[in-house]
Amino acid sequence: MSAKIEVAKLNLWYGDFQALIDVDLAVREKTITALIGSSGCGKSTLLRCLDRMNDRIDGVRITGSVRIDGEDIYRMKKAELPRLRKKVGMVFQRPNPFPLSVYKNVAFGPTVHHQANHDELDALVEESLRAVNLWDELKDRLDESALGLSLEQKQRLCIARLVAVKSEVLLMDEPCSALDPVATLKIEELMRRLRADFTIVIVTHNMQQAARVSQETGFMLLGELVEFGRTPDIFTSPRDKRTEDYITGRFG
Amino acid sequence: MSPRKIREFFIEKLIFLSGVASIVFVALIFVFLLKEGVSLFKTIGLGDFLGGRFWYPISDPPKLGILPLILGSLLVTAGAIALAVPLGIASAFYIAEVAPPRLRDALKTCIEVLSAIPSVVLGFIGMVTLVPFIKRVFGIPTGLTAMTGSIMLALMALPTIISISEDAINSVPGEYKAGAIALGATHWQTLRRVIIHGAMPGIIAASMLGIGRVFGETMAVMMVTGNAAVIPKSLLQPVRTLTATIAAEMGEAVRGSEHFYALFAIGIVLFIISFAINVTADLFLNRGKKR
Ligand SMILES: Nc1ncnc2c1ncn2[C@@H]1O[C@H](COP(=O)(O)OP(=O)(O)OP(=O)(O)O)[C@@H](O)[C@H]1O
Ligand SMILES: [Mg+2]
């Protein structure tokens, strides 16, 4: 099967500091790919390269290519970025629902992309909230501010926003690090279900989490993607000594 | 006690006293205002005062109805709001979100300069430029109109509205913006659909404070509105405001006369309205902080 996302010879500099070094990566469609590695190794940076959110940071320079469905996203014009970011959605570490009602949070994407007219919107909101198991909890609170939800509900809502906009790729940067263990397991459960429809790339510090949810894992160290392969292989028989040291807890 | 403790003791008391003093001063001012103002109502009813259509303080017997003055103040203020609030909010968004850094700094400096112009000076400039301009453009007998006052007051309210709204916009958490951009919203959609909601309490507070400033302003209005104490029917006719009445007549009112007490009663009316405006503004500012 061909790759959904193909990263080739990707280098990134923040000013003079090189944060990504010759990264090659192929993410398969409708799989969960985990990126692990110690703090500061460039996981978030790599993730942000996939929807060009790094463009927003001053002094960033990038070489190499990122292809999504064969299209090199670094050749896209600025006016095409909304289309890219609609296709490739991002879930942030700290849940960041807008200071709007639950309904408007979910409806935000479809509205700005003119995907649904007024009548279709209700159905789309319901469908999206159902997809993240929030509908039963929130169906009577659609007009309440999303800022009053629990952290777990907020994170689910943020995922629902992407479901509503019909994203194809979900980038998740430590989506559970603000959540308690029970909520974490529930979000992982959700990710497993979403895998049927989405290609998911998740950055995590939690190696058990990577092992639990992902099919493929990449290990990063100081800006390099040291090793990439099937998750069971990475965790049971890593080829690189540095990967082995990391997953057995010898450093990092 | 050690010297340090003694020093702290005195500093603490001093701070306490300063705090109490400011409360006492406010209370004293209010008591004084109330005492002088309320004396009026021994001779004239509250309804006749607030609802009276004629203000002839030196006729015999004096007619002390302030309805024309209240309507004058409201009309001039409403005109100023209609101009300053939309313009101010738009400028705040431009400065906070659109302008390149150098232009932003230049604009902020301009706004500070504008807020530093004393209102008499602004009134004077208005008198020699705006008044003849309005007269000519509308072909009316005098350029001293409510609209002239509104325009001058809008200029005075703009710096307040712009700088406080801009603060509110800047303090909207960056994660909202990142979230919207990451969903593929354009810069404009992000502004219109997300940032403005985050900043709304602050923007409302800014507008209220701007309105408060306008409502209490005296000098500039007195110089450009013509000061005719008649019930206004349009923006293009002379009006007189509550503030201008006090300023213009306090010097000539005979101490202890009905006229004199009536001016204090106008003071109470002004005080109550301004207070209400400020409390509303505070309410919104605090609501913004809590979130
Ligand atoms: N905006 C920036 N400007 C300059 N340097 C940055 C910026 N963002 C990240 N860096 C640097 O790039 C490197 C990689 O950062 P990145 O946030 O991608 O790491 P990470 O693997 O996600 O770390 P963590 O696990 O702590 O989230 C770090 O050394 C960091 O200091
Ligand atoms: Mg990170």
Side-chain angles (χ1 to χ4, degrees):
Chain A
M1 189 165 51
S2 78
K4 180 83 174 169
I5 306 175
E6 281 178 288
V7 177
K9 287 255 170 289
L10 189 70
N11 290 280
L12 180 144
W13 291 263
Y14 291 114
D16 294 332
F17 173 74
Q18 186 165 12
L20 294 178
I21 305 163
D22 278 341
V23 173
D24 291 307
L25 170 72
V27 174
R28 285 196 292 133
E29 187 162 17
K30 300 198 175 151
T31 49
I32 301 181
T33 302
L35 294 174
I36 60 173
S38 48
S39 203
C41 66
K43 306 180 295 293
S44 299
T45 302
L46 176 57
L47 205 65
R48 283 197 301 266
C49 283
L50 306 183
D51 66 348
R52 287 191 58 175
M53 284 293 274
N54 281 324
D55 288 21
R56 287 163 31 88
I57 303 171
D58 283 338
V60 167
R61 196 160 61 79
I62 296 169
T63 64
S65 72
V66 175
R67 286 173 191 283
I68 295 180
D69 292 330
E71 182 180 17
D72 187 343
I73 64 170
Y74 281 93
R75 285 176 186 271
M76 283 182 173
K77 297 198 183 66
K78 220 175 150 203
E80 291 178 277
L81 291 185
R83 178 171 65 83
L84 168 70
R85 291 175 181 151
K86 170 183 169 307
K87 185 171 180 175
V88 184
M90 170 89 79
V91 177
F92 294 78
Q93 186 167 357
R94 257 167 51 100
N96 61 347
F98 303 129
L100 306 171
S101 68
V102 170
Y103 184 97
K104 284 191 174 159
N105 264 277
V106 182
F108 181 87
T111 311
V112 302
H113 292 290
H114 309 290
Q115 279 173 300
N117 65 32
H118 210 73
D119 306 329
E120 297 161 344
L121 210 50
D122 285 354
L124 186 58
V125 168
E126 175 172 348
E127 182 193 312
S128 308
L129 285 172
R130 279 193 196 282
V132 299
N133 283 347
L134 268 183
W135 177 252
D136 293 328
E137 277 165 65
L138 296 186
K139 64 170 181 279
D140 301 320
R141 297 170 61 188
L142 294 179
D143 292 327
E144 282 177 34
S145 167
L147 301 186
L149 302 180
S150 74
L151 273 176
E152 186 205 335
Q153 289 173 325
K154 283 183 186 170
Q155 197 63 300
R156 282 176 187 274
L157 184 66
C158 291
I159 298 172
R161 288 196 303 215
L162 302 177
V163 174
V165 85
K166 303 207 177 357
S167 295
E168 294 168 28
V169 179
L170 304 184
L171 307 175
M172 302 188 168
D173 194 349
E174 302 184 43
C176 301
S177 66
L179 307 181
D180 65 52
V182 177
T184 299
L185 288 179
K186 287 199 192 151
I187 296 283
E188 288 178 13
E189 172 59 35
L190 172 61
M191 289 172 61
R192 268 185 227 106
R193 276 203 298 114
L194 291 175
R195 192 195 145 193
D197 300 309
F198 298 88
T199 305
I200 300 177
V201 183
I202 176 177
V203 164
T204 175
H205 267 139
N206 178 335
M207 277 187 278
Q208 283 83 26
Q209 182 169 59
R212 279 193 301 260
V213 299
S214 72
Q215 288 76 53
E216 302 207 284
T217 297
F219 168 63
M220 293 185 69
L221 184 66
L222 299 174
E224 285 182 81
L225 184 66
V226 171
E227 186 165 352
F228 185 80
R230 292 180 53 234
T231 300
D233 297 344
I234 296 281
F235 282 96
T236 56
S237 51
R239 277 172 284 124
D240 198 290
K241 177 80 172 62
R242 293 169 294 177
T243 315
E244 186 180 343
D245 285 347
Y246 182 74
I247 59 167
T248 53
R250 253 171 290 195
F251 75 92
Chain B
M1 278 201 286
S2 71
R4 207 177 106 209
K5 277 212 169 136
I6 295 177
R7 210 174 68 207
E8 282 187 6
F9 175 82
F10 277 109
I11 292 180
E12 215 172 87
K13 288 294 172 246
L14 204 70
I15 294 174
F16 173 72
L17 279 180
S18 328
V20 169
S22 62
I23 296 175
V24 169
F25 287 144
V26 170
L28 280 180
I29 290 174
F30 191 62
V31 166
F32 182 74
L33 198 61
L34 214 59
K35 184 173 122 324
E36 299 286 328
V38 165
S39 306
L40 176 72
F41 301 113
K42 289 181 202 139
T43 52
I44 165 176
L46 185 63
D48 288 340
F49 176 65
L50 292 178
R53 300 167 59 87
F54 301 102
W55 175 259
Y56 298 137
I58 41 186
S59 67
D60 191 27
K63 289 205 169 121
L64 298 171
I66 63 167
L67 189 62
L69 313 181
I70 294 179
L71 291 179
S73 272
L74 290 182
L75 184 65
V76 173
T77 306
I81 296 166
L83 281 174
V85 168
L87 202 61
I89 295 175
S91 310
F93 269 102
Y94 182 73
I95 291 173
E97 287 286 334
V98 185
R102 300 239 327 252
L103 184 57
R104 172 180 316 162
D105 291 343
L107 284 170
K108 287 177 85 156
T109 313
C110 285
I111 286 158
E112 261 160 47
V113 171
L114 183 60
S115 74
I117 301 175
S119 66
V120 199
V121 176
L122 214 53
F124 182 62
I125 297 173
M127 222 159 105
V128 296
T129 58
L130 191 60
V131 170
F133 179 76
I134 295 265
K135 179 177 161 163
R136 202 155 18 89
V137 167
F138 292 99
I140 42 181
T142 169
L144 299 166
T145 64
M147 181 191 268
T148 325
S150 295
I151 295 174
M152 293 322 290
L153 288 181
L155 279 179
M156 271 180 245
L158 271 177
T160 311
I161 298 180
I162 295 175
S163 56
I164 297 178
S165 299
E166 195 218 333
D167 279 350
I169 295 164
N170 283 332
S171 59
V172 172
E175 54 184 11
Y176 295 156
K177 200 169 161 183
I181 300 278
L183 269 164
T186 61
H187 189 175
W188 166 243
Q189 289 167 329
T190 307
L191 282 186
R192 190 169 80 81
R193 295 179 182 273
V194 178
I195 310 253
I196 197 168
H197 289 279
M200 200 39 104
I203 290 176
I204 295 177
S207 306
M208 295 305 286
L209 290 174
I211 294 169
R213 165 109 213 257
V214 163
F215 193 77
E217 174 52 41
T218 311
M219 262 345 269
V221 223
M222 193 155 87
M223 293 165 82
V224 300
T225 53
N227 298 316
V230 289
I231 291 182
K233 294 197 180 59
S234 94
L235 269 171
L236 289 176
Q237 111 191 34
V239 295
R240 177 192 285 217
T241 62
L242 293 165
T243 48
T245 307
I246 300 181
E249 296 177 9
M250 202 38 123
E252 63 204 39
V254 181
R255 213 188 154 91
S257 68
E258 265 186 293
H259 184 197
F260 182 81
Y261 292 135
L263 293 180
F264 273 97
I266 294 179
I268 297 176
V269 172
L270 267 175
F271 178 88
I272 291 172
I273 300 178
S274 293
F275 186 72
I277 295 174
N278 281 339
V279 168
T280 321
D282 269 357
L283 233 60
F284 279 104
L285 272 185
N286 287 336
R287 213 177 78 185
K289 291 219 176 73
K290 244 187 285 159
R291 288 206 298 190

